[in-house]
Every structure is written in C-alpha cells, then in structure tokens.
Amino acid sequence: NFTLNNASGGVGIVNNATGVYSAFGTRSTAAPSTTSLTVIPYTASTTYFAVNVSSSNTVTSATSVGTFMASRVNSTNIDLYRNGANVLNVANAATRLSQHPVYFLARNDDGSGTTFAPFKIFYGHLGAGLDDTEAAAMTAAINAYATAIGAI
C-alpha cells in the first residue's frame, strides 16, 4: 500500500535527456502545504526527488540513464536509490499525500500535466516503501527481466 509514511516510486530510463523532465510525479499546492511525489532524473548534473513532502531533495547525477527509486519507510526520512544502490538518505518529514493521480513521463501539478519527459522507460512502479535490501532486489529482478526481453 502507498501511504503517507510508507511509499515508493521508481522508473527505469534507457535514454539520456538533460532538462526539467519528470520521470513521474504529482504535486498539490493546496493548503496546508505543497506536497509531491516526484523524480526528475537529470537537470544539468542534479536529480530531484520527493516523497510526500513539501520540498524536493537533490543528489548529483551525470545521466538520466538507469533506474531511479525514491522511497519512504517512515515519517522522517527519504531514500534515493540509483541502479539499486542507496545514494542518499535525507531527513525530510512527511507532510501529506497529493490528492492528484501520479503521471508517468510528466508531473501532475494540481490536475495539469507539466514537465513532460522525452524518456524511454522500461519499467515504472508505485507502492509501499522499500528498504535497502528490497530496493536492490527489485532493481536486480527488473534489470534481469528487461535484459532478457531486450528492453535494455
């Protein structure tokens, strides 16, 4: 289940694109605060990500190719996984769930699609939060399957 304090989203991207493009996302700006679930893989060296929070977090990234997963398994922290490895654990308290559906290859801003992406994706997921072991295992299984069918 995708809940306020237990949520994740991920995507696998096969082509590189530099710009403000959302691999997936949703954002609500209504009171009490802005909240979002978003992964923007590569904007001139930075990946932006958020899971049920009012502000994004960033990590250095040289490409949009590979797997990206943002996860929350508690009310206080978010993890970003890149190709199955935890690249950042950051304190960022959960605020609330967005009331809008999640879009893949764009972000849903209050019901309108924005930051449309030119990515080619080989998988996408939304669900309960994943810890380090679960994220690594999921990435390995997805990559094995995608390789077997010729997607990557």
Side-chain angles (χ1 to χ4, degrees), residues 104-119:
F104 277 85
L105 298 177
R107 185 175 65 205
N108 181 349
D109 279 0
D110 292 319
S112 297
T114 63
T115 61
F116 292 93
F119 302 130

Side-chain angles (χ1 to χ4, degrees), residues 109-145:
D109 279 0
D110 292 319
S112 297
T114 63
T115 61
F116 292 93
F119 302 130
K120 295 176 185 175
I121 62 173
F122 62 91
Y123 102 95
H125 90 269
L126 299 170
L130 302 171
D131 64 23
D132 290 355
T133 302
E134 294 164 331
M138 183 172 177
T139 301
I142 288 166
N143 284 342
Y145 176 73

Side-chain angles (χ1 to χ4, degrees), residues 37-123:
L37 167 70
T38 302
V39 169
I40 301 173
Y42 180 50
T43 355
S45 78
T46 304
T47 295
Y48 294 83
F49 65 101
V51 182
N52 304 335
V53 295
S54 59
S55 60
S56 294
N57 299 100
T58 62
V59 65
T60 301
S61 185
T63 181
S64 61
V65 175
T67 60
F68 296 82
M69 191 180 304
S71 182
R72 170 182 295 285
V73 294
N74 58 47
S75 65
T76 58
N77 288 66
I78 303 171
D79 292 289
L80 179 67
Y81 298 92
R82 182 87 163 85
N83 297 321
N86 189 326
V87 295
L88 186 67
N89 174 281
V90 63
N92 197 334
T95 54
R96 66 184 174 103
L97 294 170
S98 173
Q99 69 239 34
H100 304 293
V102 174
Y103 290 174
F104 277 85
L105 298 177
R107 185 175 65 205
N108 181 349
D109 279 0
D110 292 319
S112 297
T114 63
T115 61
F116 292 93
F119 302 130
K120 295 176 185 175
I121 62 173
F122 62 91
Y123 102 95

